[in-house]
Amino acid sequence: FCSDFCRTASFHDRATKNRLCHWCGQPSLPDYKNACAEHAEYNRKTNQRLGAARRTRLIRAGFCTICGIQEIRGRQRVCGICRNRTLERHRQQRVRKRLAALRKIRKDGFITVVEAASLYLHVQPKRVNVFITKGLLEPHRLWGKSFWLRKDDVITLAKTRFEAMNGFRKLDINRS
């Protein structure tokens, strides 16, 4: 019973697939899949205007500006449920950014002072600070409050320390 019109893709489906503007058929912006520059700006302004009107209406009625369902108390604009959801989402975003930064640092060949002490040099972390002050290791302040060490430098120092120890003799780095 269905006509040929129903079997073919709609104009919007074809426009989205071919990356054309849904209103005028012109090529869409590279970062916007269904609007040209003119209509993308129009959409942005319209969404801002409608969003502001919605927020004003919800505030006057005493409802949450995010969900529009829960009543708010006092001077707050967001209900407790939406506030907790937003805080959790922001916390997860911070964790994701932190992990991405750490992955990039590790990919670039850096390790922490504690890792250098325990995995490669087999000394206490305080001893690694002595190596840094003596100029045997160069610290890098890449991210956060801690220093990072280039893994290759640590491995080279570990090899030279092992050679200098001659078995059981410890390397005396306090001598100049």
Side-chain angles (χ1 to χ4, degrees), residues 11-20 22 33-34:
F11 170 76
H12 288 286
D13 293 337
R14 287 192 308 271
T16 302
K17 182 180 176 184
N18 297 327
R19 298 196 58 82
L20 299 174
H22 284 203
K33 67 181 180 181
N34 61 1

Side-chain angles (χ1 to χ4, degrees), residues 111-160:
I111 57 174
T112 63
V113 171
V114 174
E115 289 173 333
S118 62
L119 297 176
Y120 298 100
L121 299 173
H122 306 292
V123 295
Q124 294 292 323
K126 286 189 238 178
R127 199 76 168 153
V128 175
N129 292 333
V130 174
F131 292 136
I132 291 171
T133 55
K134 291 290 183 180
L136 298 173
L137 287 174
E138 181 185 353
H140 300 274
R141 176 78 48 105
L142 299 174
W143 176 79
K145 295 179 181 176
S146 61
F147 286 107
W148 294 81
L149 304 171
R150 191 168 292 283
K151 188 176 179 180
D152 298 337
D153 296 344
V154 173
I155 292 172
T156 305
L157 178 65
K159 286 179 184 174
T160 56

Side-chain angles (χ1 to χ4, degrees), residues 22-158:
H22 284 203
W23 290 270
C24 63
Q26 297 293 320
S28 64
L29 293 174
D31 57 340
Y32 200 78
K33 67 181 180 181
N34 61 1
C36 63
E38 178 184 346
H39 288 108
E41 180 66 19
Y42 172 78
N43 286 341
R44 188 183 65 77
K45 287 181 180 176
T46 302
N47 288 341
Q48 281 180 343
R49 185 174 42 83
L50 293 177
R54 178 182 182 271
R55 278 189 298 281
T56 304
R57 183 173 31 88
L58 288 171
I59 289 170
R60 284 186 185 151
F63 290 107
C64 172
T65 57
I66 295 176
C67 67
I69 299 170
Q70 300 288 327
E71 290 187 17
I72 54 175
R73 294 186 180 96
R75 299 174 65 181
Q76 298 176 352
R77 304 284 191 229
V78 180
C79 67
I81 297 169
C82 292
R83 186 180 313 106
N84 290 339
R85 244 188 246 142
T86 303
L87 290 174
E88 180 62 23
R89 187 178 67 246
H90 288 177
R91 187 190 67 77
Q92 289 173 355
Q93 286 174 347
R94 283 193 307 273
V95 167
R96 276 196 301 272
K97 285 181 181 179
R98 227 177 267 141
L99 289 176
L102 286 174
R103 275 191 223 107
K104 184 184 181 315
I105 289 170
R106 293 201 182 279
K107 184 180 173 188
D108 291 343
F110 289 95
I111 57 174
T112 63
V113 171
V114 174
E115 289 173 333
S118 62
L119 297 176
Y120 298 100
L121 299 173
H122 306 292
V123 295
Q124 294 292 323
K126 286 189 238 178
R127 199 76 168 153
V128 175
N129 292 333
V130 174
F131 292 136
I132 291 171
T133 55
K134 291 290 183 180
L136 298 173
L137 287 174
E138 181 185 353
H140 300 274
R141 176 78 48 105
L142 299 174
W143 176 79
K145 295 179 181 176
S146 61
F147 286 107
W148 294 81
L149 304 171
R150 191 168 292 283
K151 188 176 179 180
D152 298 337
D153 296 344
V154 173
I155 292 172
T156 305
L157 178 65

